[in-house]
Amino acid sequence: VKGKGVNAGIQNTLRNEPRRFMAYNNGIVLVADELHFGKTADGAVGISWIKGLQIVNGGQTTATIFFAKRKYPEIDLASVFVPAKIIVMNDQDEAAEEALVSDISRYANSQNAVRQSDLSANKPFHVEIERLSLSVYCPDGVSRWFYERAAGSYNTMLSREGTTPTRLKALKEAIPPSRRITKTDLAKYINAWDQRPDLVSMGSQKNFDRFMDSITGKEGEEPKPITKDDYKIMIAKAKLFRDTSKLARPMFVAGQANVATYTISVLAARLGERLDLERVWNKQGGSPELMAQITTWAREVNEILVRTANGRLLSEWAKKPECREIVMSSTFSAPAENIPELR
């Protein structure tokens, strides 16, 4: 029950909202050898007895309820209801019964993973970014970027609107997979530009959680509106991040993602105020001169990361705030003066 896990959530519901337990919990699955019905005190039909009862899915729920009550005796279990699916085994073949129980347990536990970022899809920030992605076209007036607010929505869009081979081809040309951005992608790009490469290096879900904490205003506070210009700047940052990652892949043996992330943070720290990101949006990428500068700094970032890791895994070292402090306070070569994006 430590941290923000499922068990902690079950325990919190039992303590604070016991009457909502049935609404929040997926329930348990049980198998039995026999089950008999009878009349309840008020004349309704109910289960009178069950023989050979066995829980095959729901041990986590059952155990957490038990230990929560033992730890917090004041919990009122009388108001807690748990939904249950009860399967009566008609086949008395022991081997067949064992196989069926195994299959029930496996299939009842099988589902696509629901990540924390999926549960944030309806936050106003993401709804607004999606709205802008549907209405703001690239400078060519034809193509667009796609913000995947809900997991799988890009493929859903292709299936829904690409009803013929010709339409599907045109759709993929206007909104290619390379212009699809997920919520965790955007969190990575923005945090890197905000010079938090240590957070980005912690992984997509942890970084996303920190990102959401940073953009969620205080209770009752109106979120800052996102304009078309804000959206274009976000896409420019996304494009530079992706192009930097592409450059880093063949350049370094290990830690390419960390090098790219730290390089973007260095770029933002040293040229952020002078960099014309509107030009990057209009050109849909950085100039050769800017990318050459990024390549130079990437090599310097890699040298610092490898040297200061002291034999540790570079991907683990990159997560440390100390690593961020060392890299961001290091001396880098001066930027070239011929970069067109520089104001």
Side-chain angles (χ1 to χ4, degrees):
V1 295
K2 295 178 181 177
K4 297 181 179 179
V6 173
N7 293 352
I10 292 175
Q11 188 180 93
N12 289 337
T13 301
L14 290 170
R15 295 184 67 193
N16 304 314
E17 301 175 293
R19 294 184 183 279
R20 293 189 175 185
F21 193 88
M22 189 164 179
Y24 294 163
N25 192 270
N26 287 331
I28 62 177
V29 182
L30 312 103
V31 295
D33 295 325
E34 292 181 49
L35 181 148
H36 284 253
F37 293 102
K39 292 283 186 180
T40 62
D42 60 1
V45 176
I47 297 170
S48 58
W49 59 268
I50 305 174
K51 180 182 177 183
L53 186 70
Q54 179 186 350
I55 296 173
V56 294
N57 183 49
Q60 186 176 4
T61 295
T62 310
T64 304
I65 292 174
F66 173 79
F67 286 111
K69 177 65 176 176
R70 192 165 77 172
K71 186 174 181 180
Y72 303 102
E74 71 276 9
I75 289 176
D76 178 20
L77 290 182
S79 59
V80 176
F81 287 82
V82 181
K85 178 165 66 175
I86 304 172
I87 299 154
V88 179
M89 311 288 288
N90 292 319
D91 193 340
Q92 297 303 312
D93 183 312
E94 194 172 320
E97 182 176 320
E98 188 176 328
L100 181 58
V101 168
S102 176
D103 285 343
I104 291 170
S105 180
R106 183 167 78 252
Y107 298 144
N109 280 292
S110 298
Q111 65 177 47
N112 290 334
V114 179
R115 296 174 293 272
Q116 187 62 35
S117 58
D118 296 328
L119 304 178
S120 301
N122 291 327
K123 298 287 186 184
F125 174 85
H126 302 296
V127 172
E128 188 62 15
I129 297 296
E130 180 189 51
R131 186 188 67 78
L132 287 165
S133 76
L134 294 172
S135 59
V136 178
Y137 284 79
C138 294
D140 62 11
V142 177
S143 57
R144 286 190 286 117
W145 285 73
F146 187 92
Y147 187 61
E148 193 169 70
R149 178 174 67 86
S153 58
Y154 178 78
N155 287 332
T156 301
M157 178 269 297
L158 292 179
S159 300
R160 187 180 63 244
E161 299 179 25
T163 51
T164 66
T166 302
R167 292 186 69 176
L168 182 61
K169 182 182 177 184
L171 202 56
K172 285 185 175 180
E173 287 175 353
I175 316 172
S178 60
R179 285 184 174 156
R180 165 184 164 265
I181 296 180
T182 66
K183 297 186 296 299
T184 53
D185 286 339
L186 188 63
K188 177 170 61 176
Y189 306 148
I190 293 177
N191 273 353
W193 275 90
D194 286 346
Q195 298 164 48
R196 294 312 311 264
D198 50 332
L199 294 186
V200 178
S201 298
M202 291 172 72
S204 60
Q205 291 302 313
K206 287 184 179 178
N207 176 66
F208 181 82
D209 289 344
R210 301 292 185 88
F211 172 71
M212 289 305 298
D213 289 343
S214 70
I215 66 169
T216 303
K218 295 176 183 175
E219 196 170 341
E221 186 178 292
E222 285 291 321
K224 183 184 174 185
I226 303 166
T227 66
K228 285 186 178 182
D229 289 338
D230 293 333
Y231 172 74
K232 291 176 181 179
I233 295 302
M234 286 182 192
I235 297 300
K237 292 175 179 179
K239 181 62 175 156
L240 287 179
F241 190 109
R242 289 185 169 186
D243 288 348
T244 300
S245 297
K246 194 180 295 184
L247 281 173
R249 280 186 212 116
M251 287 175 64
F252 310 109
V253 176
Q256 298 97 330
N258 305 109
V259 172
T261 299
Y262 271 82
T263 302
I264 287 294
S265 292
V266 169
L267 176 69
R270 279 150 179 75
L271 296 182
E273 294 298 320
R274 298 177 58 198
L275 210 57
D276 184 359
L277 290 171
E278 289 181 25
R279 187 184 193 280
V280 176
W281 160 262
N282 290 329
K283 300 288 184 181
Q284 288 293 292
S287 64
E289 293 85 355
L290 177 58
M291 298 316 296
Q293 183 62 60
I294 287 174
T295 302
T296 299
W297 280 342
R299 289 195 179 96
E300 294 173 13
V301 165
N302 181 67
E303 188 278 324
I304 296 168
L305 288 174
V306 172
R307 174 168 45 81
T308 58
N310 292 323
R312 286 170 287 190
L313 274 175
L314 199 147
S315 57
E316 290 301 313
W317 169 233
K319 298 175 184 178
K320 306 291 185 185
E322 311 91 86
C323 178
R324 173 188 173 274
E325 293 300 325
I326 290 171
V327 174
M328 299 308 291
S329 62
S330 295
T331 301
F332 291 86
S333 56
E337 290 301 321
N338 64 339
I339 299 174
E341 289 87 351
L342 289 185
R343 294 189 182 94

